[in-house]
Amino acid sequence: MSEPVLSIENLAVTFPTEEGELAAVDGVSFSVMRNEVLGLVGESGCGKSATALSILSLVPKPGRVSQGRVIFEGADLLALAEPRLREIRGRRISMIFQDPMTALSPLLSVGAQMAECLTLHEKISQKDALAKSREWLARMGIPEAGRVLSGFPFELSGGQQQRVMIAMALMTGPSLVIADEPTTALDATVSAQIFELLSKMRGESTSVLLITHDLGVVWELCDRVAVMYAGKIVEEAPVSALFERPLHPYTEGLLKSVPVLTEERELYSIEGQVPSPLDYPPGCRFNDRCPLAFDRCAAEEPALRQIADGRKAACHLADKRM
Ligand code: SF4
């Protein structure tokens, strides 16, 4: 296997609340390999977005990274001063957010913002930057790229704004793209175009960390997948192996919840609720929802451990399910 482009080690992200410290991410470790697409999946509130934001020190205050390291190209990003981090953001690591308006300025034209993104990170003239921006808008399937460049973000549809932001994230040729539910605002056809482009980027030396709750997207696009539940990684595997034989009962529940058009069956849903990050149950955090739970599960928290080549799971029964 190729070497990692990003390694997250024992990461914890907390938010102070009136009821105490909320542990959104709790001891998470994983790597993204060069040229791979890694999917980070789980239900809303499982900690996947907080994990993504912590990579570039973008966790909104008063939240903070309370523990861990984020190793990228040999340096711990969490230990870097802000000016050095700014050089890496956008140039070496790009981020695609769910909501494009958090990334686009309402005060500047689309062309000014796209060109600035290029002139800031590359030795390139304003004229060439605008020409490259126009090319990238066309690659994103935006017709009338010239009109879009001279307009302002508020004049575009949500889907167009999202495609502008994705173009800005990809056009500097970063080593790593972090995409947090990147196509939420787009229709199915445009989403498919964007995913095809993200997939192609892998061949251009870009790795992708894709945050999603959509297992269909994971199947189409990802090489490997890490499943998060209640602030922790509970399973990690190559995509085909995970879909064929999930080792963690939570992963199995997620897969059973995916509707299949050709099958006539009731839609499955995992019973119970995701536990509050202020009040995780003792032992395995999935034990009050798990159909396979037994005595040991409430008494002892299972560690994420290697079960087979390339496969890890945090379940006392994982070896037996292999
Ligand atoms: Fe279920 Fe126990 Fe495995 Fe947790 S450790 S997933 S409760 S069987």
Side-chain angles (χ1 to χ4, degrees):
M1 185 179 257
S2 63
E3 79 275 25
V5 67
L6 176 87
S7 290
I8 292 185
E9 299 172 1
N10 203 19
L11 183 79
V13 180
T14 54
F15 292 85
T17 70
E18 285 180 1
E19 290 107 294
E21 283 278 283
L22 184 154
V25 178
D26 191 8
V28 159
S29 302
F30 65 87
S31 294
V32 183
M33 302 304 189
R34 201 162 289 287
N35 295 351
E36 84 164 347
V37 181
L38 177 75
L40 187 59
V41 304
E43 292 163 285
S44 302
C46 69
K48 50 194 195 311
S49 289
T51 301
L53 289 171
S54 66
I55 294 168
L56 287 172
S57 293
L58 295 173
V59 174
K61 291 200 178 345
R64 68 187 180 96
V65 174
S66 52
Q67 160 193 305
R69 302 200 311 157
V70 175
I71 307 296
F72 174 75
E73 295 182 341
D76 179 4
L77 297 183
L78 299 178
L80 293 185
E82 183 55 31
R84 179 80 186 93
L85 205 51
R86 250 198 312 259
E87 284 170 23
I88 291 173
R89 276 191 211 121
R91 176 79 184 98
R92 311 292 306 139
I93 303 178
S94 292
M95 187 133 186
I96 302 170
F97 296 92
Q98 286 173 35
D99 175 8
M101 286 314 279
T102 55
L104 296 171
S105 165
L107 303 174
L108 292 172
S109 71
V110 171
Q113 294 184 62
M114 291 188 77
E116 186 185 7
C117 174
L118 286 167
T119 52
L120 202 68
H121 296 297
E122 293 176 18
K123 286 196 174 80
I124 185 171
S125 69
Q126 178 77 3
K127 189 171 164 229
D128 289 346
L130 280 170
K132 192 168 174 181
S133 302
R134 188 188 292 253
E135 256 169 51
W136 269 91
L137 288 183
R139 283 182 82 174
M140 289 289 136
I142 294 188
E144 299 185 60
R147 186 185 60 77
V148 169
L149 281 176
S150 57
F152 287 82
F154 69 85
E155 295 174 297
L156 308 179
S157 68
Q160 286 174 326
Q161 288 168 0
Q162 189 69 338
R163 281 182 277 175
V164 166
M165 194 178 62
I166 293 170
M168 286 169 75
L170 300 183
M171 67 188 186
T172 54
S175 300
L176 176 68
V177 174
I178 303 167
D180 189 355
E181 307 277 7
T183 58
T184 307
L186 306 179
D187 64 42
T189 322
V190 180
S191 295
Q193 281 172 12
I194 302 294
F195 285 134
E196 197 187 328
L197 197 72
L198 281 174
S199 182
K200 272 193 204 146
M201 294 301 291
R202 168 175 34 188
E204 295 174 23
S205 296
T206 298
S207 307
V208 180
L209 173 60
L210 178 70
I211 318 290
T212 182
H213 64 275
D214 187 337
L215 285 166
V217 168
V218 168
W219 174 254
E220 289 289 330
L221 193 66
C222 297
D223 301 296
R224 286 191 309 125
V225 59
V227 181
M228 275 191 91
Y229 182 76
K232 289 187 176 283
I233 304 276
V234 295
E235 182 156 7
E236 198 183 308
V239 167
S240 52
L242 183 117
F243 274 68
E244 198 173 304
R245 188 187 292 268
L247 298 183
H248 197 284
Y250 175 64
T251 313
E252 188 177 358
L254 282 184
L255 289 170
K256 281 191 345 205
S257 315
V258 177
V260 180
L261 282 176
T262 50
E263 280 180 23
E264 258 190 50
R265 61 170 163 92
E266 265 187 40
L267 207 53
Y268 177 85
S269 67
I270 302 170
E271 274 186 25
Q273 302 289 327
V274 180
S276 159
L278 289 165
D279 189 22
Y280 288 129
C284 174
R285 292 181 179 178
F286 190 54
N287 82 71
D288 54 355
R289 304 177 77 192
C290 180
L292 303 181
F294 60 109
D295 292 351
R296 186 180 168 200
C297 303
E300 189 188 325
E301 183 170 4
L304 182 68
R305 64 206 162 86
Q306 179 120 2
I307 307 296
D309 197 21
R311 302 211 59 173
K312 291 182 183 172
C315 171
H316 296 312
L317 298 177
D319 304 84
K320 292 191 184 130
R321 289 164 59 81
M322 185 62 213

